[in-house]
Amino acid sequence: MKNLILITFLTLGFTVFAQNDNKAEALLNEVSTKIKSYKNISLDFKYELNNLSENVKQETRGDVVIEGEKYKLNILGVTRIFDGKTLYTISPEDEEVTISSDNTEDESTITPSKMLSFYENGYTYKMDIIQNVRGRKIQYIKLNPMDTNSEIKHVLLGIDATTKHIYNLIEVGKNGTKTTLTVNSFKTDQPISKTLFTFDKSKYSDYFINKID
C-alpha cells in the first residue's frame, strides 16, 4: 500500500516554485514550523482506499509515534519499527520479522518521518476550498505533481486553520483510486518509553527472521 501515505505528515521542507500560491506556501511553512517544534508526535488515524470502477473499498485504522527520524507504526496487524538506521517489520500473522535498512532511494516508500516532505521537490501547490468539519475550519491546499507521467492526479492536504495541524490527506490517482488518511487524534510531546523504537529480538524467538539486505 505504498507504505501508506501515512507517511505524509511531518518534517516539512518546501522548495519555492514560481507557480506556487504565496498564501499556500505561507500556510505550509507555518505548519512546518509548528511540527518541528515538537519533540514527538503521536497520531491515531483512519485509512480509506476507494476505487468505484474496480469496486474496491478498504478502511482500517492505525497509529504511529514519531520522534525525529524514528517511528513505530501499527496498521493492518503489522508493526513497523524504525530506529533511525534499521527498519523492522513484524507480522504476527506470518510469524515473521523482516529486517532492512532504510531505503530512502525508493520513491514509492513514504515513511512517517517524511510526512509531507514527499512533495517538496515534485509538486506545485495552491489554496483550495475551506470546509467546516464538526465545527473545525479546514483549509485545503491542492498539490499537483510536476511529472506528467505521475500516477497521481492531485493531492489535497487539509489543515486545521486554528491549530495548524494536519487534519487529512486525500490522494487521487489517475486510475480513479482515492486514498484518504484522516487524523483522529493528534498528540504531542507525550512521555514515551526509551525502548519504544528498539527491536527486542527475544520477544520473537519463534518467528522467522528475514534479513533482506
Side-chain angles (χ1 to χ4, degrees):
M1 262 193 305
K2 205 195 235 177
N3 253 353
L4 296 177
I5 359 183
L6 191 176
I7 301 185
T8 319
F9 279 92
L10 305 168
T11 62
L12 292 156
F14 302 103
T15 300
V16 180
F17 301 104
Q19 306 97 314
N20 287 335
D21 183 315
N22 289 335
K23 289 184 178 179
E25 182 186 338
L27 179 56
L28 290 173
N29 285 334
E30 192 172 357
V31 173
S32 175
T33 298
K34 193 158 191 177
I35 289 294
K36 290 177 181 178
S37 71
Y38 301 129
K39 182 178 179 181
N40 61 63
I41 295 176
S42 301
L43 303 176
D44 290 325
F45 60 88
K46 179 171 70 173
Y47 175 89
E48 299 173 88
L49 187 148
N50 291 281
N51 187 314
L52 296 178
S53 62
E54 298 293 334
N55 195 30
V56 174
K57 184 174 183 179
Q58 183 179 28
E59 181 176 320
T60 189
R61 293 180 181 272
D63 61 82
V64 62
V65 179
I66 306 166
E67 184 176 79
E69 290 294 310
K70 301 176 182 180
Y71 65 83
K72 183 175 182 179
L73 167 68
N74 296 299
I75 190 163
L76 296 173
V78 175
T79 297
R80 296 169 63 85
I81 299 173
F82 181 60
D83 62 11
K85 293 183 179 180
T86 305
L87 176 64
Y88 302 88
T89 303
I90 306 164
S91 174
E93 182 178 353
D94 300 324
E95 294 190 343
E96 180 177 359
V97 177
T98 301
I99 303 174
S100 63
S101 60
D102 182 35
N103 187 3
T104 56
E105 299 301 316
D106 184 356
E107 294 182 358
S108 68
T109 300
I110 306 174
T111 62
S113 58
K114 297 175 187 172
M115 287 177 168
L116 284 186
S117 63
F118 73 103
Y119 60 81
E120 64 181 358
N121 290 313
Y123 290 79
T124 59
Y125 42 84
K126 62 181 180 180
M127 298 293 265
D128 204 83
I129 63 172
I130 297 175
Q131 287 188 341
N132 189 305
V133 180
R134 294 186 294 277
R136 298 170 65 187
K137 182 181 176 182
I138 306 299
Q139 171 67 63
Y140 282 90
I141 294 178
K142 189 174 184 179
L143 308 160
N144 292 297
M146 291 180 164
D147 183 1
T148 56
N149 295 318
S150 173
E151 295 180 359
I152 299 172
K153 184 178 180 181
H154 65 260
V155 177
L156 286 170
L157 187 64
I159 299 169
D160 187 309
T162 300
T163 64
K164 300 302 186 294
H165 289 166
I166 303 303
Y167 168 67
N168 69 350
L169 180 143
I170 304 167
E171 181 184 281
V172 179
K174 291 180 179 177
N175 64 353
T177 299
K178 179 180 178 182
T179 309
T180 304
L181 186 69
T182 304
V183 177
N184 296 318
S185 173
F186 190 113
K187 297 179 181 179
T188 62
D189 298 338
Q190 298 293 296
I192 59 176
S193 169
K194 292 182 179 180
T195 60
L196 181 65
F197 308 112
T198 301
F199 174 70
D200 186 350
K201 187 176 181 179
S202 65
K203 294 181 179 179
Y204 305 97
S205 57
D206 295 334
Y207 280 43
F208 174 71
I209 305 299
N210 179 24
K211 294 184 179 181
I212 61 176
D213 55 17

